[in-house]
Amino acid sequence: MTLLMGAVAYDPKVVTIWEGFRSWLRGQGLPFDYVLYSHYERQVEDLVAGRLDAAWNSPLAWLRAERLARAEGRTVRTLVMRDTDQDLTSLVLVRADSPIDSPADLKGRTVAVGAVDSPQATLLPLGLLRRAGLRPGEDFAVRRFDIGTGLHGDHVGGEREAARALAAGEVDAACVIDANHLLFGREGVLPPGGTRVLAQTEPYDHCNMTVSDSAPLETAEEFGRLLLSMSYADPEVRPLLDLEGLTEWLPGRTGGYASLAQAVDESGFYTADGRITAAEYTP
């Protein structure tokens, strides 16, 4: 039986990536196909409804899939994840010459974030500031850059604009994932030595391959086994791994999603049964 996987087309290269993976997986004897989505919410709903066997999910999509499945007496599980999806952090940046020395100093200031549904550039860093005793929208203003809404931060446009606003002096702080802090420096979006880290989240995990309980068990297990077997030393495999941004697949885990789950609950993004309740969120 063919295993059908969903993926969100946040960039044209997604087609190239999964065409390559489909060809390789079929070459290993696995009946495999994929379907592309314009946003994560529909993909999650189709996964839980059994119209998909697996889905390449953002961390926010994983949380919603877990909640929707639980509400329906179903289960989903993480099959694999990239090595580059583990132990990431988000940063609250200020300009190097800023008088702001602690999160408490952001009271009465303006903080730039990414899209409303970005775990790394909105939900997690705002959760960090809540735990520091600051209420977003009350103790400080939030300037949001809703670019690529529905892509759960995979489109870094909003995050990049938040960094640009900080560099231009339009805001007092900006929230980015650690890897993009380096990327924006290389791009010249953030001037060398022009920013410093005011606060940093605890490590968290990002995307995972989610499998539903309706997927054929043996096919799903073979799918995971094949992904885990991919070697960066294999010249046929390496281009695929490079495109997808990893050097090896690792077994899936869920412990790295606790802080995001807390941020989702605190912000009212999803309900406990997976309904979307975030204000101004239209994927």
Side-chain angles (χ1 to χ4, degrees), residues 68-109:
L68 283 175
R70 186 187 307 118
E72 297 182 13
R74 303 274 306 285
T75 60
V76 292
R77 61 188 173 103
T78 59
L79 188 66
V80 297
M81 60 201 320
R82 300 175 298 189
D83 55 344
T84 48
D85 279 316
Q86 295 188 350
D87 299 320
L88 310 178
T89 65
S90 289
L91 313 173
V92 180
L93 302 176
V94 295
R95 291 183 298 279
D97 60 357
S98 171
I100 298 171
D101 291 323
S102 71
D105 295 335
L106 289 173
K107 193 165 186 177
R109 308 275 189 164

Side-chain angles (χ1 to χ4, degrees), residues 156-217:
V156 301
E159 200 170 335
R160 186 178 282 110
E161 290 305 311
R164 284 193 174 119
L166 177 64
E170 299 170 3
V171 298
D172 300 290
C175 302
V176 302
I177 196 169
D178 48 12
N180 283 342
H181 185 210
L182 299 175
L183 172 65
F184 299 155
R186 292 195 299 271
E187 292 178 344
V189 172
L190 294 173
T195 60
R196 55 185 169 83
V197 177
L198 179 71
Q200 185 170 18
T201 67
E202 295 181 353
Y204 59 85
D205 289 349
H206 211 263
C207 299
N208 75 66
M209 186 68 72
T210 309
V211 176
S212 77
D213 57 3
S214 63
L217 182 59

Side-chain angles (χ1 to χ4, degrees), residues 4-278:
L4 183 62
M5 186 207 77
V8 170
Y10 64 90
D11 187 276
K13 73 175 183 179
V14 172
V15 175
T16 305
I17 291 170
W18 289 107
E19 281 292 310
F21 272 92
R22 178 171 65 178
S23 177
W24 185 84
L25 288 165
R26 286 182 173 180
Q28 307 305 306
L30 179 75
F32 174 85
D33 211 341
Y34 69 93
V35 59
L36 296 180
Y37 289 80
S38 61
H39 63 80
Y40 278 105
E41 307 308 337
R42 176 62 185 275
Q43 176 174 289
V44 167
E45 290 161 5
D46 281 356
L47 176 70
V48 175
R51 291 185 285 270
L52 294 173
D53 300 309
W56 184 225
N57 272 339
S58 75
L60 191 60
W62 155 255
L63 288 178
R64 187 175 183 222
E66 187 181 39
R67 293 177 183 210
L68 283 175
R70 186 187 307 118
E72 297 182 13
R74 303 274 306 285
T75 60
V76 292
R77 61 188 173 103
T78 59
L79 188 66
V80 297
M81 60 201 320
R82 300 175 298 189
D83 55 344
T84 48
D85 279 316
Q86 295 188 350
D87 299 320
L88 310 178
T89 65
S90 289
L91 313 173
V92 180
L93 302 176
V94 295
R95 291 183 298 279
D97 60 357
S98 171
I100 298 171
D101 291 323
S102 71
D105 295 335
L106 289 173
K107 193 165 186 177
R109 308 275 189 164
T110 300
V111 177
V113 300
V116 62
D117 58 335
S118 173
Q120 63 264 20
T122 303
L123 293 167
L124 284 161
L126 290 183
L128 173 66
L129 294 178
R130 281 192 194 90
R131 288 190 291 279
L134 298 170
R135 295 162 297 178
E138 297 181 37
D139 293 321
F140 62 91
V142 178
R143 183 175 176 188
R144 207 173 67 222
F145 291 90
D146 280 330
I147 299 174
T149 305
L151 301 180
H152 293 186
D154 286 352
H155 188 298
V156 301
E159 200 170 335
R160 186 178 282 110
E161 290 305 311
R164 284 193 174 119
L166 177 64
E170 299 170 3
V171 298
D172 300 290
C175 302
V176 302
I177 196 169
D178 48 12
N180 283 342
H181 185 210
L182 299 175
L183 172 65
F184 299 155
R186 292 195 299 271
E187 292 178 344
V189 172
L190 294 173
T195 60
R196 55 185 169 83
V197 177
L198 179 71
Q200 185 170 18
T201 67
E202 295 181 353
Y204 59 85
D205 289 349
H206 211 263
C207 299
N208 75 66
M209 186 68 72
T210 309
V211 176
S212 77
D213 57 3
S214 63
L217 182 59
E218 290 185 6
T219 307
E221 290 301 313
E222 179 66 1
F223 179 41
R225 187 193 70 76
L226 287 171
L227 291 178
L228 291 170
S229 75
M230 298 180 85
S231 170
Y232 198 70
D234 184 339
E236 180 186 4
V237 164
R238 182 179 295 183
L240 297 177
L241 299 182
D242 283 340
L243 278 171
E244 188 52 40
L246 70 153
T247 57
E248 66 173 329
W249 293 99
L250 299 175
R253 66 185 191 184
T254 60
Y257 298 122
S259 57
L260 180 58
Q262 180 179 353
V264 164
D265 291 335
E266 290 172 346
S267 65
F269 198 93
Y270 296 137
T271 61
D273 59 0
R275 288 178 291 114
I276 301 171
T277 48

